[in-house]
Amino acid sequence: MNVQVKRWLLSYAVAAVIFAAVDVVWIGTVANNQYESQIGDLLAPSVNLAGAVAFYLVYVVGIVHYGIRPSHPDATMRERVTGAALFGFFTYATWALTALAVLKDFPTVVALTDIAWGVAVCSVVTWLTATLLRRMFARAGTAK
């Protein structure tokens, strides 16, 4: 396996752990309460685990590709975080604005909160992952 593939897979693994941890905190402290109070009648009685796992597996690919960019070692942190923020904005806006457009009485506050969360979580995951990887690679003598 070549170095680029190894870096990409390591970036994916680190980002997946960070994203899952940050998202669990968000869901437990903000999203569950907001969803229950604002769209409780739309919620399933329990989480579809297969759907949730599929979302995380696929979504982290986007964060790695558009944010962390392990294939572009010369990208600045600003470029990485900007790419991640845009990825988060467009992906979460797709869900939230579609829900606003097609679901009866879908609350605007939920749509706006979700979009803001998409921007924030992708930016934070990218920044944390890129910072951690930079330190790991510097210690290993393979900077960038």
Side-chain angles (χ1 to χ4, degrees):
M1 188 178 316
N2 71 36
V3 173
Q4 276 192 317
V5 172
K6 287 180 183 178
R7 283 186 182 210
W8 202 97
L9 292 173
L10 180 61
S11 297
Y12 182 91
V14 172
V17 170
I18 293 172
F19 182 59
V22 172
D23 210 38
V24 163
V25 171
W26 167 258
I27 290 167
T29 60
V30 177
N32 273 345
N33 294 335
Q34 185 184 53
Y35 280 8
E36 188 61 43
S37 70
Q38 298 289 319
I39 57 171
D41 54 325
L42 296 175
L43 297 177
S46 62
V47 173
N48 177 328
L49 191 57
V53 169
F55 166 77
Y56 282 98
L57 291 174
V58 170
Y59 202 75
V60 173
V61 171
I63 294 173
V64 172
H65 181 77
Y66 293 104
I68 299 159
R69 302 179 194 188
S71 299
H72 299 95
D74 293 330
T76 66
M77 186 63 79
R78 181 183 200 138
E79 291 169 332
R80 294 170 200 275
V81 171
T82 299
L86 289 169
F87 175 72
F89 174 79
F90 288 117
T91 55
Y92 274 72
T94 299
W95 139 251
L97 297 177
T98 299
L100 197 59
V102 301
L103 298 178
K104 183 180 177 191
D105 300 324
F106 192 82
T108 302
V109 68
V110 172
L112 294 175
T113 302
D114 277 357
I115 294 168
W117 176 243
V119 171
V121 72
C122 289
S123 298
V124 167
V125 169
T126 292
W127 180 78
L128 287 171
T129 303
T131 300
L132 181 62
L133 291 174
R134 183 185 311 141
R135 289 180 184 163
M136 289 171 59
F137 295 145
R139 257 189 248 137
T142 58
K144 289 190 182 178

